Amino acid sequence: MKINDFSNIRTGHAFRERLVDQPDGNVSVIQPKDIKADGTVAFSDGKPLRTNISSPRTLNQKDVLVLNRGRFAAVVFDLPVEENWIVPSSIMILSIREGSVLPEYIALYLNSPEGQRIFQRHFEYSTIPFISTNNMASMEIPIPPLDRQRALIKYREAAREYKLLTNRKHELYNQILSHELRGNEIIIQGREQ
């Protein structure tokens, strides 16, 4: 199925000047650096940048945000709705309009090696590779039945959780090893005195 068969595509806000944090701003901004390759959003300072925009086109829950310049990654927007959120023009917004397509599946597929190969077939060059809205709209994505989409999403969530836990376990082992080695160093220093 082509992306434009099941979603509406638009680009984010076109900022006229450099984006500056305004703590009392009326919108929060998800920047390209906040979207990770694994399909998550993480703010480098722990909180999003805020700014003032007159009449912003805010994000809706379950919109798929797609980085379209330099690197290509996707994430499903599901941040707190009590705030107004926007993205810059270097991020495309896919609003899924078909009930037979899950936004989480689209983000999962676009982040997969197969999705990245499709990006490579459709991107264009200026100074950096980019995907135009027309090329994005014409990209074909296989859409399995809903139960299969749900199963793939659960599998991806389990794999992500496993990776996080494995990394944490690795950190703990290194801390234990470091602590034990420091303990041996203290014992050796005590013997030398």
Side-chain angles (χ1 to χ4, degrees):
M1 229 178 172
K2 289 184 179 177
I3 289 180
N4 68 344
D5 292 339
F6 59 80
S7 71
N8 296 323
I9 303 172
R10 65 182 171 97
T11 57
H13 185 78
F15 289 96
R16 303 254 184 264
E17 52 196 38
R18 186 173 168 267
L19 198 54
V20 178
D21 190 31
Q22 300 171 339
D24 296 330
N26 65 337
V27 293
S28 295
V29 182
I30 299 173
Q31 301 177 77
K33 67 180 181 176
D34 302 328
I35 297 176
K36 307 305 175 199
D38 68 350
T40 59
V41 173
F43 302 105
S44 54
D45 298 335
K47 60 185 174 90
L49 183 137
R50 293 192 58 86
T51 192
N52 278 315
I53 302 291
S54 58
S55 61
R57 287 189 65 192
T58 58
L59 300 174
N60 297 313
Q61 287 293 311
K62 302 296 183 178
D63 278 346
V64 179
L65 309 178
V66 182
L67 288 175
N68 65 346
R69 290 188 195 139
R71 66 183 176 97
F72 306 102
V75 66
V76 176
F77 174 74
D78 64 353
L79 295 172
V81 291
E82 55 272 1
E83 293 186 45
N84 290 321
W85 294 86
I86 64 169
V87 293
S89 61
S90 58
I91 299 175
M92 283 187 201
I93 303 153
L94 309 180
S95 298
I96 309 299
R97 61 176 189 268
E98 282 291 319
S100 62
V101 179
L102 298 175
E104 295 84 359
Y105 170 75
I106 299 304
L108 168 86
Y109 185 84
L110 292 174
N111 290 331
S112 73
E114 183 57 32
Q116 293 298 302
R117 280 191 286 277
I118 289 176
F119 275 125
Q120 288 178 354
R121 287 195 299 257
H122 286 84
F123 71 63
E124 302 172 44
Y125 273 103
S126 59
T127 54
I128 58 170
F130 72 96
I131 297 277
S132 67
T133 52
N134 288 338
N135 283 355
M136 177 65 86
S138 68
M139 286 174 55
E140 292 254 357
I141 293 180
I143 306 295
L146 278 172
D147 58 339
R148 179 80 171 141
Q149 290 179 54
R150 287 186 189 101
L152 291 167
I153 292 164
K154 283 186 180 181
Y155 181 80
R156 176 62 185 127
E157 288 169 1
R160 185 181 291 142
E161 183 69 18
Y162 178 80
K163 181 179 179 183
L164 287 172
L165 292 173
T166 302
N167 288 342
R168 180 66 182 135
K169 185 177 179 181
H170 181 68
E171 288 172 16
L172 290 172
Y173 280 157
N174 282 336
Q175 288 174 1
I176 291 168
L177 182 61
S178 178
H179 177 73
E180 288 299 316
L181 292 173
R182 256 187 270 127
N184 287 337
E185 183 179 301
I186 291 169
I187 292 170
I188 292 170
Q189 287 175 354
R191 287 181 189 160
E192 291 175 351
Q193 292 177 0

